[in-house]
Amino acid sequence: MSTFRFDSKTVHFHKRITSESVSKAQPIYQTSAFKFRNLDELEGFFQGVKPYMYSRVSNPNTDDLGTGVAQLEGAPAGIATSSGISAILAGILSVTEQGSHIVACEDLYGGTYQLLANELPSFGIEVTFVSFEDKVSIQSAIQPNTVLLYTESITNPLLRVEDIEQLVRIGKKHNVHTMVDNTFASPYLLQPYLNGVSLVVHSATKYIGGHSDVTAGVVAGDEALIEKAKSKVVNLGSNLSPFEAWLACRGMKTLSVRMERHVKNAELLAGFLSGCDGIGQVYYPKNASEKGNGAIVTVSLDEGIDANEFCEKLDWIGVVPTLAGVETTVSYPLGTSHRALPPSEQKKLGIHKNLIRISVGIEDFEDIREAFANALK
Ligand SMILES: *Cc1c(COP(=O)(O)O)cnc(C)c1O
């Protein structure tokens, strides 16, 4: 080492960490690849003795996130990906092939709708969108080449709680897989894998990360399916970066304490807004889980109220087209998540110009209440 010349010294200066010093926090393996002492050791990776070789294939931080979320879901395996959307794609591709058909619920998150409606056809995968509110429409959409039923545990933005047990029964009866996007509920509230769903997917951008500072996704399920999903992530290059994974993992440590406060505040806010002049309908789930009904409240403002003006008057509550951060924010489904839908679809789903979705944060409830009360005044 000491014999290195200047230019070499600029790159070879790190002190090797020995096994005597163990970092309390999980280190960030911000590396694109791993080093081997010799060819035998490298071969060890392919023999399954050495866990890491190249970060697109696997990395300790991304593994932490994938397996961490899987454990919260009660699933044997999970893989982290670059976004919620890429997790959905990896999950779907693990159970489909060219010529496959999917039955999906019609009130999906807008980005998921785009993926399913506009991109999957170029993979030779066909999707039929139906209302999942009644069993009959799901069953009658199933074709001989149907391989998957796809839905969300709590839907966006009107917060319909899916009947997961019924869906699993239909799936089993027709011998097709079921996949559930559990983003809005988070595993704190619901664990669809334990109800028999084949694959559970998360936008870890939301409650798992919890601080609106990372875009990431996870798909969880049994070993065989996740192995397939993993090969899609590796081959399509939709892996997550180590730092993003590390951030999401750090956020996940406080999932329970955040959710407890999020849910409590949301319940109080839904109750408060139900009695307010200027608020038409308040959408907030009932009996979603034993631990509460989530932290998203959607409201329909009265005709006479201008949505733009209302948002402006919310003071410190920002208009942010995402959800699940520690700060209370509002979003506008018509202008963002559901913008791309044809007007007829928007109308059918109940997305209109006075619909506001509130992502309730972890602040003091009184401050949240005051902000809404003042805006409505
Ligand atoms: C945000 C979101 C997604 C997409 O996740 P990204 O991380 O933005 O790719 C999928 N499903 C639901 C329910 C979401 O809220």
Side-chain angles (χ1 to χ4, degrees):
M1 283 282 214
S2 54
T3 59
F4 276 138
R5 287 162 185 82
F6 184 85
D7 292 358
S8 304
K9 280 181 186 164
T10 65
V11 290
H12 296 283
F13 55 85
H14 290 290
K15 185 168 173 178
R16 285 292 135 206
I17 301 298
T18 65
S19 53
E20 284 91 66
S21 41
V22 179
S23 169
K24 177 172 185 284
Q26 183 73 311
I28 308 175
Y29 292 83
Q30 188 66 37
T31 182
S32 61
F34 295 81
K35 201 151 101 178
F36 299 90
R37 268 192 308 249
N38 54 41
L39 299 182
D40 286 341
E41 240 190 48
L42 173 61
E43 182 59 22
F45 171 78
F46 295 94
Q47 303 303 330
V49 185
K50 288 270 167 190
Y52 301 107
M53 175 191 68
Y54 191 63
S55 282
R56 175 163 53 76
V57 177
S58 51
N59 171 285
N61 300 110
T62 56
D63 276 5
D64 269 357
L65 181 62
T67 55
V69 172
Q71 281 171 23
L72 296 185
E73 288 287 354
I79 177 161
T81 70
S82 60
S83 68
I85 288 296
S86 60
I88 295 169
L89 178 62
I92 286 177
L93 294 180
S94 74
V95 296
T96 52
E97 56 188 17
Q98 210 176 21
S100 294
H101 175 252
I102 298 171
V103 179
C105 97
E106 64 185 2
D107 44 351
L108 289 178
Y109 171 77
T112 308
Y113 177 83
Q114 300 264 47
L115 170 68
L116 269 59
N118 302 337
E119 301 299 334
L120 289 188
S122 61
F123 288 75
I125 301 163
E126 237 193 301
V127 187
T128 304
F129 296 93
V130 295
S131 162
F132 269 34
E133 266 175 297
D134 83 292
K135 208 160 100 184
V136 182
S137 66
I138 304 174
Q139 304 218 44
S140 54
I142 295 176
Q143 308 172 2
N145 61 340
T146 303
V147 295
L148 178 67
L149 307 178
Y150 186 94
T151 192
E152 294 168 0
S153 50
I154 300 178
T155 66
N156 176 33
L158 297 182
L159 313 172
R160 184 177 62 80
V161 179
E162 191 65 85
D163 186 341
I164 304 282
E165 281 168 12
Q166 169 178 283
L167 192 74
V168 167
R169 275 198 298 277
I170 299 173
K172 295 218 159 116
K173 183 171 154 210
H174 294 267
N175 200 22
V176 299
H177 286 293
T178 43
M179 181 165 168
V180 170
D181 181 335
N182 199 29
T183 300
F184 270 45
S186 89
Y188 174 83
L189 292 179
L190 295 172
Q191 295 151 310
Y193 185 81
L194 298 179
N195 299 115
V197 157
S198 322
L199 290 167
V200 177
V201 70
H202 280 279
S203 168
T205 314
K206 313 296 167 52
Y207 289 111
I208 301 283
H211 296 75
S212 315
D213 52 9
V214 60
T215 300
V218 173
V219 56
D222 66 27
E223 303 271 3
L225 285 184
I226 295 307
E227 204 46 53
K228 284 192 193 167
K230 182 175 171 172
S231 71
K232 303 300 172 189
V233 172
V234 171
N235 296 330
L236 295 174
S238 53
N239 54 293
L240 183 64
S241 84
F243 182 56
E244 308 276 293
W246 185 88
L247 275 177
C249 287
R250 190 174 71 156
M252 195 165 85
K253 290 176 196 288
T254 55
L255 179 70
S256 292
V257 287
R258 278 186 285 111
M259 287 310 289
E260 204 178 319
R261 173 68 68 86
H262 275 301
V263 166
K264 188 172 142 225
N265 280 351
E267 259 162 28
L268 291 170
L269 186 66
F272 168 72
L273 292 173
S274 301
C276 283
D277 279 348
I279 300 287
Q281 206 164 342
V282 174
Y283 299 87
Y284 188 63
K286 280 194 192 66
N287 308 320
S289 100
E290 280 166 13
K291 287 184 182 162
N293 299 298
I296 309 295
V297 180
T298 299
V299 295
S300 172
L301 303 172
D302 281 348
E303 269 298 308
I305 296 187
D306 179 66
N308 189 43
E309 201 180 329
F310 175 74
C311 289
E312 201 176 301
K313 295 225 157 101
L314 278 173
D315 189 24
W316 58 268
I317 297 179
V319 178
V320 186
T322 187
L323 61 124
V326 289
E327 306 89 355
T328 298
T329 57
V330 296
S331 83
Y332 191 55
L334 184 70
T336 58
S337 57
H338 292 70
R339 188 185 189 98
L341 289 185
S344 59
E345 272 305 297
Q346 291 168 342
K347 189 156 181 228
K348 189 166 145 205
L349 299 178
I351 317 286
H352 56 79
K353 70 171 181 42
N354 267 13
L355 199 70
I356 303 283
R357 189 187 73 195
I358 307 160
S359 173
V360 185
I362 63 170
E363 301 94 344
D364 285 283
F365 173 69
E366 277 309 298
D367 288 322
I368 303 172
R369 188 192 59 77
E370 266 173 33
F372 280 95
N374 290 338
L376 284 165
K377 249 195 260 159

